Amino acid sequence: MPSLLFFSLWGFEGPLATALETAERGGFDGLELNIHHPSLVGDPDGPTRLLESGRPLVLEVVTGGGYVPELAVTPAQHLAELGEHLNRCADLRPHRVTVLTGSDAWPLERQRTFLAEAHALAAASGLTVSFETHRSRCLGMPWTIVPLLEAVPGMRLTADLSHWCVVAERLMTPDLEPVQAMADRVDHIHARVGHAQGPQVSHPFAPEHAEALAAHLACWQLFAERTVKRGAPPPSFTPEFGPDGYMPTLPFTDRPVADLLTINTAMAQWLRSQPVAGNSDRVCSS
């Protein structure tokens, strides 16, 4: 079974109709977007448009006030938001919901309890839900993920290793314990390439970033191999190079050094050409 590739609407400013057309031209299978993305919120016909497109959809849910959670937001408030957002997602019949929730500022035991409660909410929703390894969240630190995973055996993951690169100030590689620990849990991958000092290289195919690209690919291949081994569908991918300080800019002009659509489309095409290590099948469809 081929992997699905999703077109990220992070940084996309056009209407949903244009997003769908852009995804089709780029060879993507579907869209990934935040449930509060302007193209959806500002389009009264947006839900109908998405459903009628017939394309699979990954919805992103964020709790706590934004991508970096406000410190004053309590676990109970995060859980209340999560339940509300999951209910909203159901009408769009998503292929998957990826969740950014909790806070890395909490004591580890509180994070363990919180993730168990959040997972119970996700399971009760009837949706296919995975929790993202995102900075500032409960899963944002590689060195604490093992006890968190042990506390919630059924929790599935959206892997974004670029965040861990920044937190640990090193590239993530398959030999590291946190990467091995999460490998059997990964259902969805944000295919952005980070480096030891940031969550996004200027261009993944620039020769100066070859080591970073190879490290990420090796981890992605490990995740894909584990799914093949257990007979599960391969992980899906969203090339997720984005703006908002992720994309380097030229000094004095604030002009991005590369074009996001070009990079994300190139990453999608490149992923389709990558075989799973030790297996004749491909990570993604051709």
Side-chain angles (χ1 to χ4, degrees):
M1 179 185 297
S3 289
L4 294 173
L5 283 175
F6 291 87
F7 175 57
S8 173
L9 267 62
W10 179 31
F12 181 84
E13 297 180 350
L16 272 180
T18 302
L20 289 164
E21 293 168 2
T22 303
E24 183 173 6
R25 285 197 305 270
F28 295 90
D29 298 296
L31 303 181
E32 176 166 344
L33 71 159
N34 189 297
I35 59 168
H36 293 118
H37 193 278
S39 67
L40 178 59
V41 174
D43 184 353
D45 299 321
T48 300
R49 196 184 310 280
L50 290 173
L51 290 171
E52 290 182 348
S53 75
R55 291 185 172 272
L57 185 66
V58 174
L59 294 177
E60 185 178 82
V61 163
V62 177
T63 67
Y67 283 96
V68 178
E70 297 174 8
L71 293 177
V73 179
T74 67
Q77 289 172 318
H78 277 274
L79 291 171
E81 284 186 48
L82 178 59
E84 177 185 336
H85 294 337
L86 290 173
N87 286 337
R88 180 177 175 184
C89 289
D91 290 340
L92 292 171
R93 290 179 249 163
H95 171 77
R96 170 173 308 283
V97 178
T98 185
V99 170
L100 288 72
T101 193
S103 174
D104 62 353
W106 299 338
L108 184 59
E109 189 55 41
R110 178 178 291 180
Q111 294 187 48
R112 287 163 58 98
T113 303
F114 172 81
L115 284 176
E117 293 175 320
H119 175 258
L121 269 180
S125 74
L127 299 166
T128 300
V129 178
S130 52
F131 291 77
E132 184 175 341
T133 58
H134 196 288
R135 276 174 299 160
S136 77
R137 301 297 180 163
C138 292
L139 302 177
M141 169 66 76
W143 315 125
T144 58
I145 196 170
V146 171
L148 295 176
L149 293 179
E150 289 174 346
V152 195
M155 183 171 60
R156 308 303 302 174
L157 301 178
T158 292
D160 191 333
L161 297 178
S162 71
H163 291 287
W164 281 7
C165 291
V166 183
V167 171
E169 202 170 2
R170 70 189 72 211
L171 290 174
M172 293 292 109
T173 52
D175 58 296
L176 293 175
E177 181 186 15
V179 177
Q180 287 287 332
M182 72 186 293
D184 285 321
R185 306 284 194 104
V186 175
D187 292 333
H188 186 53
I189 294 170
H190 282 168
R192 184 174 59 252
V193 176
H195 57 102
Q197 303 301 332
Q200 181 170 304
V201 298
S202 58
H203 197 298
F205 304 121
E208 61 266 32
H209 299 308
E211 181 184 5
L213 178 62
H216 283 73
L217 177 62
C219 294
W220 300 339
Q221 288 177 325
L222 170 66
F223 302 154
E225 287 169 0
R226 292 289 184 87
T227 65
V228 170
K229 184 176 293 186
R230 68 176 186 269
S236 49
F237 290 82
T238 299
E240 205 201 25
F241 289 79
D244 301 338
Y246 283 67
M247 173 62 74
T249 59
L250 296 171
F252 303 106
T253 67
D254 202 32
R255 291 177 56 191
V257 299
D259 179 71
L260 287 180
L261 178 59
T262 299
I263 289 178
N264 283 327
T265 302
M267 176 59 77
Q269 294 170 347
W270 181 78
L271 281 169
R272 292 191 186 280
S273 72
Q274 300 306 305
V276 177
N279 191 285
S280 61
D281 293 333
R282 298 277 176 180
V283 173
C284 299
S285 60
S286 58

